[in-house]
Amino acid sequence: MLFPISLHFASQITERISFNVLFNGLYFGIMLVMLFFNLFIFISVRDKSYLYYCLYILSFVIFLGGYSGITFQYLWPNNSWLANHTTSFFWILTYAFAIQFARNFLHLKENSPFFDTILKYVLYTCVVFLFSEFIFGYSISVQISNIIHSVAVGMIFLAALLTYKKKYKPAKFFILGWSFLLLAAIIL
């Protein structure tokens, strides 16, 4: 087993930490602006797609904050149990809301009843395993979360492609946004 070890000067470590804090602040700030912007749109137009998108953003931000330790640092600093047991919960919740957003935005009930049904079953699976981290522990729940993630991403993308093929124009923007999200996930 190899362990990468590197030595740095204190100034280099401080510089790296400062960059990470700045990057995290910018990223989470942009995500929160997106959340409030879309929440404002939801309140204005009452389209459920915006609500599901807001809930998707919120659960993703909490998941990412938990994964990077930011939620423990700022939201629940005195609760290590919560910090250690919510990562998979919010990861699965993120994809539950992504599924609902996709179903609603793409109008899958009308445009693709087959994929609407499949995504409903994936959503039910999300609900069943939402509390897996509390029941099975971290290791198993991460594996469950990754399986749900892979199936959800694939099914949502296929549903969007099929909906676009049926000449539903908003699907083009959905595919474009989903492609950037997948590309960013692959790169990072």
Side-chain angles (χ1 to χ4, degrees):
M1 184 179 288
L2 297 174
F3 294 101
I5 297 175
S6 60
L7 298 175
H8 297 282
F9 292 107
S11 61
Q12 291 173 314
I13 294 171
T14 304
E15 186 178 306
R16 185 171 196 151
I17 290 172
S18 296
F19 174 78
N20 286 342
V21 168
L22 177 65
F23 179 79
N24 284 335
L26 285 172
Y27 179 79
F28 284 103
I30 289 169
M31 293 298 283
L32 290 175
V33 167
M34 283 178 50
L35 172 69
F36 289 118
F37 176 75
N38 283 285
L39 189 59
F40 174 74
I41 293 174
F42 167 70
I43 292 168
S44 299
V45 300
R46 300 284 184 207
D47 183 352
K48 280 186 186 177
S49 295
Y50 289 103
L51 177 62
Y52 292 132
Y53 188 62
C54 288
L55 293 170
Y56 166 75
I57 292 171
L58 180 63
S59 57
F60 184 69
V61 164
I62 294 172
F63 158 73
L64 211 52
Y67 186 74
S68 63
I70 291 174
T71 55
F72 179 68
Q73 187 175 3
Y74 294 108
L75 294 182
W76 40 76
N78 296 323
N79 195 336
S80 59
W81 184 88
L82 194 59
N84 290 329
H85 291 88
T86 55
T87 307
S88 290
F89 176 84
F90 283 106
W91 187 230
I92 292 173
L93 194 63
T94 296
Y95 277 93
F97 288 128
I99 289 167
Q100 282 299 95
F101 170 67
R103 288 180 62 225
N104 199 284
F105 183 82
L106 297 171
H107 298 283
L108 290 180
K109 192 178 285 188
E110 298 86 25
N111 291 325
S112 180
F114 174 74
F115 273 106
D116 187 57
T117 303
I118 288 176
L119 285 175
K120 269 191 223 176
Y121 285 117
V122 177
L123 178 64
Y124 298 151
T125 305
C126 288
V127 172
V128 167
F129 286 107
L130 196 56
F131 297 97
S132 64
E133 191 162 353
F134 304 107
I135 297 166
F136 302 118
Y138 181 78
S139 178
I140 293 173
S141 68
V142 166
Q143 293 172 4
I144 292 169
S145 301
N146 287 336
I147 291 168
I148 290 172
H149 161 78
S150 300
V151 171
V153 167
M155 291 297 113
I156 290 171
F157 199 74
L158 287 174
L161 289 173
L162 182 68
T163 307
Y164 178 69
K165 190 175 179 183
K166 289 186 173 187
K167 306 292 186 212
Y168 184 65
K169 293 191 189 291
K172 174 174 50 175
F173 300 108
F174 186 91
I175 292 168
L176 184 65
W178 202 249
S179 297
F180 278 118
L181 179 67
L182 294 176
L183 183 64
I186 291 168
I187 291 172
L188 298 177

